[in-house]
Amino acid sequence: MSEAEIKNLEAQFDAKIARDEKIEPKDWMPEKYRKTHIRQISQHAHSEIVGMLPEGNWITRAPSLRRKVALLAKVQDEAGHGLYLYSACETLGITREQLYEDLHSGKAKYSSIFNYPTMTWADMGAIGWLVDGAAIINQVPLCSTSFGPYARAMVRVCKEESFHQRQGYEIMLSLCNGSEEQKEMAQDALNRWWWPSLMMLGPTDAASTHTEQSMKWKLKRKTNDELRQQFIDQTVPQAELLGLTIPDPDLKWNDEKGSYDFGEIDWDEFWQVVKGHGPMNKKRLDDRRNAWENGAWVREAATAYAAKQKAQTAQAI
Amino acid sequence: MSQEIPLWEVFIRSKNGLEHRHCGSLHAEDAEMAMNNARDVYTRRNEGVSIWVVESKNITASSPEASGELFEPATDKVYRHPTFYELPEELKHM
């Protein structure tokens, strides 16, 4: 294809997205669109998969059967969300094997938030409330993103996600209505998860390299800073309802702009964690690799069994 | 592992009276495993009463480049739509 032809196709492509038409896997797309989508969708899928690990830590120690079935169901949803997203990503021409390999080799990223440890049961509450809360804010606009399979996967994910946040908030609420120690435990979890949750919505607009292009492709409909502001404005009253204090001395309602002002985020910490130096980066990847390697025999057995069945059927005919 | 586990497309009928609708895909070695995985991945909340799984390689899909010849002939056949016919107002329902 000549350069002029590609330019022409690109112009048609951009116009299509501007008209809010969806792009489907077999449609022509610029190489950069394909690559960016593989990066973002796979990163999203990996986040769901790695996101199971911090919570898996508490399934066997949940304080009641009610909490245990809820946490199990939430973790199972995350596995499901990872699978929806991997299959959406594969429609762009990358194999599942390659996607896993990129995660396990450390080439692909996943959300920085999962590199923090889950120290107490209250962390299950804080994660559901804050981390899933931030994720929902991030994901709702993606339901109308331009790439059809991604948008459809997100509709499904968003439908299922609200239970996650509610179960988290309910855990916090029980703790806050409990003993002094339980309330302290809830406050401690909020103290540890607040800032990482704000960072999870991504670098500031000024430092974000992908925002402009992503807005054009409707991969983003709001900037990171807008999403963060929305998250803070929505979460502060929820903390007040719990009787907890948000660990930010600079947090203050700004009547003029109709939203909260907040303190400086420690972006050095964010970049350290993204680059692999968070408290749990190594453990998460090790656990993930072990799960994959130790599960190899299951995959091999399934392959062998399918081959045997096929051979037997062929013989019977 | 050298070979990818085959890809399957999953279709779900959400309730009787409605058609099966494509809802996503998954990997499985055989039809039975595809069915089990489809149940776990796509129907955790009563989303369906019936599942179809089809190995993706068995689906023949039209190509977007062919959409002109496939679908454009229909666009100028307005006489296939009821609104094409001019009838008197008094007729009300027809």
Side-chain angles (χ1 to χ4, degrees):
Chain A
M1 232 183 294
S2 76
E3 222 169 277
E5 278 173 312
I6 291 181
K7 277 262 170 293
N8 182 29
L9 281 171
E10 277 176 2
Q12 284 177 28
F13 181 86
D14 290 343
K16 207 167 153 183
I17 292 181
R19 285 196 303 272
D20 257 334
E21 275 182 45
K22 299 289 178 196
I23 307 301
E24 294 295 342
K26 293 181 90 176
D27 292 341
W28 183 87
M29 60 185 80
E31 211 32 47
K32 202 171 158 220
Y33 181 91
R34 183 186 303 277
K35 287 224 170 85
T36 303
H37 276 73
I38 288 178
R39 200 192 65 232
Q40 175 160 337
I41 302 172
S42 68
Q43 202 167 307
H44 199 159
H46 299 327
S47 301
E48 296 283 357
I49 297 303
V50 176
M52 291 191 280
L53 298 170
E55 291 174 314
N57 187 28
W58 283 94
I59 290 175
T60 55
R61 291 177 287 161
S64 69
L65 191 56
R66 184 175 188 274
R67 293 291 184 223
K68 187 171 179 163
V69 289
L71 188 58
L72 260 177
K74 178 176 192 279
V75 170
Q76 198 187 9
D77 272 352
E78 277 146 14
H81 297 174
L83 293 173
Y84 308 156
L85 289 162
Y86 281 130
S87 66
C89 195
E90 286 171 81
T91 66
L92 289 162
I94 184 165
T95 64
R96 180 75 62 94
E97 294 267 294
Q98 185 65 53
L99 290 167
Y100 286 158
E101 203 179 300
D102 290 348
L103 171 63
H104 298 156
S105 71
K107 186 182 161 210
K109 297 273 181 272
Y110 55 86
S111 180
S112 59
I113 195 92
F114 302 118
N115 292 315
Y116 290 87
T118 43
M119 323 271 276
T120 72
W121 170 252
D123 289 8
M124 295 304 98
I127 287 180
W129 172 35
L130 302 171
V131 177
D132 287 271
I136 292 170
I137 283 187
N138 211 1
Q139 286 169 344
V140 167
L142 285 172
C143 295
S144 55
T145 190
S146 63
F147 186 55
Y150 192 27
R152 291 191 287 273
M154 289 321 300
V155 169
R156 196 175 280 278
V157 168
C158 285
K159 261 191 211 159
E160 298 180 347
E161 200 89 51
S162 91
F163 127 66
H164 297 182
Q165 197 188 11
R166 290 173 66 107
Q167 70 91 37
Y169 195 77
E170 199 195 75
I171 291 173
M172 294 303 269
L173 202 58
S174 300
L175 291 171
C176 291
N177 290 331
S179 67
E180 213 34 59
E181 283 97 334
Q182 284 174 316
K183 190 160 184 188
E184 270 168 34
M185 203 162 97
Q187 181 65 55
D188 165 66
L190 171 60
N191 292 349
R192 283 181 291 108
W193 290 96
W194 175 253
W195 293 104
S197 301
L198 296 190
M199 293 175 198
M200 182 188 158
L201 292 157
T204 58
D205 297 349
S208 172
T209 43
H210 304 298
T211 297
E212 200 191 330
Q213 181 66 76
S214 295
M215 294 286 264
K216 211 171 100 194
W217 286 337
K218 298 179 179 168
L219 246 181
K220 252 182 201 296
R221 312 214 88 159
K222 285 181 181 174
T223 69
N224 296 349
D225 287 337
E226 286 169 338
L227 294 171
R228 196 164 9 250
Q229 187 69 58
Q230 186 187 338
F231 174 73
I232 292 169
D233 293 345
Q234 146 186 332
T235 310
V236 173
Q238 297 168 351
E240 283 166 1
L241 198 64
L242 292 169
L244 295 178
T245 312
I246 296 213
D248 178 358
D250 298 320
L251 188 80
K252 212 173 77 205
W253 178 254
N254 182 329
D255 224 6
E256 210 169 299
K257 66 171 189 171
S259 61
Y260 283 91
D261 290 333
F262 54 97
E264 194 68 38
I265 294 173
D266 182 357
W267 290 109
D268 284 344
E269 176 183 321
F270 173 76
W271 290 114
Q272 283 295 317
V273 177
V274 169
K275 286 180 183 137
H277 310 302
M280 299 298 276
N281 293 60
K282 186 175 177 315
K283 169 113 174 68
R284 298 291 182 242
L285 268 189
D286 284 349
D287 284 350
R288 186 50 227 161
R289 281 192 212 110
N290 285 339
W292 177 249
E293 282 159 19
N294 296 334
W297 70 272
V298 179
R299 296 188 296 278
E300 283 157 19
T303 308
Y305 179 75
K308 196 170 126 193
Q309 292 295 105
K310 213 180 239 171
Q312 278 175 359
T313 318
Q315 223 166 31
I317 300 168
Chain B
M1 212 169 41
S2 53
Q3 258 205 318
E4 274 267 305
I5 299 174
L7 186 68
W8 297 71
E9 300 302 323
V10 181
F11 301 81
I12 308 244
R13 183 203 296 289
S14 58
K15 61 177 189 189
N16 275 8
L18 294 179
E19 64 279 71
H20 284 78
R21 254 179 98 168
H22 182 247
C23 67
S25 51
L26 49 79
H27 290 273
E29 280 294 353
D30 57 27
E32 189 190 351
M33 189 187 204
M35 188 60 83
N36 289 334
N37 291 356
R39 174 210 172 259
D40 286 345
V41 179
Y42 292 105
T43 64
R44 288 192 301 284
R45 290 183 178 77
N46 303 317
E47 287 91 339
V49 294
S50 162
I51 302 174
W52 287 349
V53 288
V54 184
E55 204 177 331
S56 310
K57 68 172 188 199
N58 293 325
I59 293 181
T60 307
S62 64
S63 138
E65 286 96 68
S67 11
E69 71 187 83
L70 286 173
F71 308 118
E72 267 165 28
T75 56
D76 60 0
K77 295 183 176 54
V78 283
Y79 47 85
R80 285 182 174 164
H81 297 277
T83 45
F84 177 75
Y85 300 92
E86 289 171 24
L87 302 179
E89 284 278 322
E90 303 85 73
L91 198 57
K92 294 232 164 78
H93 303 294
M94 181 179 275

